[in-house]
Amino acid sequence: MIKGANDKRDASMQHEEHRNSEEHRCNACADTFELKVKPGKTYMLRVINAALNDELFFSIANHTLTVVDVDAVYVKPFTVDTLVIAPGQTSNVLLTAKPRALLHGGPPVQAQPVRGFFDNTTVAGVLAYEDPCSVGSSSSSSTKNLPVFVPYLPQINATSFVANYTAKLRSLASTQYPAAVPRQVDRRFFFTVGVGTHPCAVKGSCQAANGSRMAASVNNVSFVLPTSTALLQAHYSGMSNGVYSTDFPAYQVTPFNYTGARPNNTNVMNGTKVAVLPFGAAVELVMQSTSFFGAESHPMHLHGFKFHVVGQGIGNFDPAEDAAKFNLVDPVECNTVGVPAGGWVAVRFRADNPGVWFMHCHLEVHMSWGLQMAWLVLDGSQPDQKLPPPSSDLPQC
């Protein structure tokens, strides 16, 4: 708040007003999170985004964070003022507390959503310094004249900020921690991900375009969970007929300008479809965001695998130009990646885990609308490449 103020008196008044408001808010909220640190010490923070419908910015005022891990995989360390983290995603960061000579007080720890489509709440905690010199002194007198720093978080629609952050994520790619990204590809897929519509139910109250209801889909297929038999159970027993089909489209059936004006028809189909992969196949998947009802980012999570993020960009994916720029040297390896708002992301992984594995948007509302699909990875030829039988005490659906 003080930064950029031209008049020192105005800045002082702004600071005092903010301090009073911060004290009132913290005093009124007994369960405000407080992290106690000692001057000069370095701490590892394990940050988890447990939100349902928001990617988050996370920052600690007057401090920097060194990112060392994403989704339990080491990355080349880099230092930032603000962390970007998607729902269900994890990240380990190093926080070095200020030395005692630079100690100014306890700055707030703040996080706010990247997206403003749903909740735009900013949450805060407190980073509290333990100063041995203040032991026995009055806490009110020792902190009365200390400034309170507030993080300057990016705007909720800061797409370029998010893109710059994610571009810094690189794997170690060392002898001890090699980047085993597939160089040759066996199967290529192009998925559009986004929000569309369904016709309104009979006597329903629907408020989407043309009186329809909201739906979400991958390649225009809004996923429907089977009601009687689980996908994995149906696959293992060889009784998939009537439970799922294996014709999930590998490409968008009807190409269009994905990030342009909304098409006349925004309806998507329902289906319980899976994409089949032979064991050991090297897979390349490009996920393209659509902008039917405004460009949104989609944090896509894949069960059973980690993938290498080899490319990303804004606009429509260009197979000729964009694929030539893929990073096959040190791409970050993770299990959740944000498809940029109005953009695309490309990942590669090896299908070496037999079974049926969901891939879905980690925004709860989008997943409930059908923004998910499933990969069916077939057994390999070796005994350790086959799907094990279910346990004898497995509950039946």
Side-chain angles (χ1 to χ4, degrees):
M1 199 170 221
I2 298 176
K3 184 179 179 181
N6 295 320
D7 189 283
K8 292 183 178 180
R9 182 178 58 184
D10 289 347
S12 177
M13 292 176 62
Q14 290 174 2
H15 165 71
E16 186 62 27
E17 290 173 359
H18 178 77
R19 178 179 178 81
N20 291 337
S21 114
E22 286 291 320
E23 286 182 348
H24 174 75
R25 182 170 64 179
C26 290
N27 291 336
C29 184
D31 59 354
T32 297
F33 174 75
E34 183 178 279
L35 175 64
K36 293 184 177 181
V37 298
K38 294 181 179 180
K41 298 289 186 181
T42 298
Y43 300 85
M44 175 179 283
L45 308 183
R46 301 182 184 274
V47 185
I48 303 171
N49 184 346
L52 293 179
N53 289 316
D54 290 303
E55 296 167 286
L56 296 176
F57 293 126
F58 176 85
S59 182
I60 300 178
N62 201 34
H63 291 70
T64 57
L65 302 171
T66 301
V67 182
V68 296
D69 165 294
V70 172
D71 285 346
V73 177
Y74 290 126
V75 298
K76 288 184 173 71
F78 63 97
T79 301
V80 295
D81 296 320
T82 302
L83 180 71
V84 180
I85 186 166
Q89 198 171 43
T90 66
S91 187
N92 286 354
V93 299
L94 300 180
L95 166 69
T96 300
K98 301 284 185 178
R100 187 173 179 277
L102 299 178
L103 179 56
H104 292 297
V109 180
Q110 288 193 304
Q112 78 171 25
V114 175
R115 303 163 56 254
F117 191 75
F118 297 103
D119 191 358
N120 189 22
T121 302
T122 297
V123 296
V126 176
L127 186 69
Y129 275 82
E130 295 180 350
D131 188 356
C133 296
S134 65
V135 175
S137 63
S138 170
S139 59
S140 59
S141 62
S142 62
T143 61
K144 183 177 180 180
N145 297 318
L146 294 179
V148 175
F149 296 95
V150 179
Y152 293 90
L153 297 171
Q155 295 297 312
I156 59 174
N157 59 349
T159 303
S160 60
F161 180 92
V162 176
N164 291 334
Y165 177 90
T166 55
K168 297 176 183 177
L169 296 171
R170 301 296 181 93
S171 68
L172 293 181
S174 63
T175 303
Q176 186 176 5
Y177 300 101
V181 55
R183 299 299 184 92
Q184 302 297 323
V185 175
D186 300 313
R187 299 290 177 92
R188 283 187 166 85
F189 297 85
F190 179 85
F191 290 174
T192 54
V193 295
V195 177
T197 57
H198 277 325
C200 190
V202 177
K203 297 183 180 180
S205 177
C206 304
Q207 298 178 348
N210 300 319
S212 57
R213 57 193 172 101
M214 302 302 291
S217 67
V218 180
N219 270 0
N220 285 17
V221 179
S222 187
F223 191 82
V224 178
L225 285 169
T227 57
S228 59
T229 307
L231 295 179
L232 185 60
Q233 180 182 353
H235 164 59
Y236 184 81
S237 63
M239 301 177 66
S240 62
N241 188 30
V243 179
Y244 65 82
S245 63
T246 59
D247 58 345
F248 189 90
Y251 293 87
Q252 172 58 233
V253 177
T254 306
F256 57 95
N257 182 2
Y258 310 114
T259 57
R262 182 193 306 174
N264 293 329
N265 184 5
T266 59
N267 284 345
V268 298
M269 70 179 76
N270 284 334
T272 307
K273 301 174 182 288
V274 302
V276 181
L277 297 172
F279 183 88
V283 179
E284 178 181 288
L285 167 64
V286 176
M287 290 178 281
Q288 171 75 57
S289 172
T290 59
S291 57
F292 286 3
F293 299 96
E296 290 186 80
S297 60
H298 299 281
M300 299 298 293
H301 173 67
L302 175 60
H303 291 218
F305 298 91
K306 290 184 181 295
F307 46 70
H308 300 271
V309 182
V310 297
Q312 65 171 357
I314 301 299
N316 295 331
F317 175 71
D318 187 320
E321 293 188 9
D322 293 328
K325 302 173 185 176
F326 283 174
N327 174 18
L328 303 181
V329 178
D330 60 351
V332 65
E333 187 178 11
C334 50
N335 58 46
T336 302
V337 64
V339 181
W344 57 271
V345 66
V347 304
R348 287 186 180 184
F349 66 95
R350 191 169 297 280
D352 54 4
N353 193 4
V356 182
W357 303 103
F358 275 115
M359 187 178 75
H360 59 88
C361 180
H362 242 308
L363 301 180
E364 188 71 15
V365 64
H366 288 178
M367 189 168 69
S368 70
W369 288 347
L371 212 168
Q372 52 187 314
M373 56 83 64
W375 300 93
L376 194 164
V377 180
L378 301 174
D379 286 350
S381 59
Q382 301 301 314
D384 61 349
Q385 299 174 347
K386 300 184 183 301
L387 182 66
S391 60
S392 57
D393 60 347
L394 180 70
Q396 297 296 310
C397 291

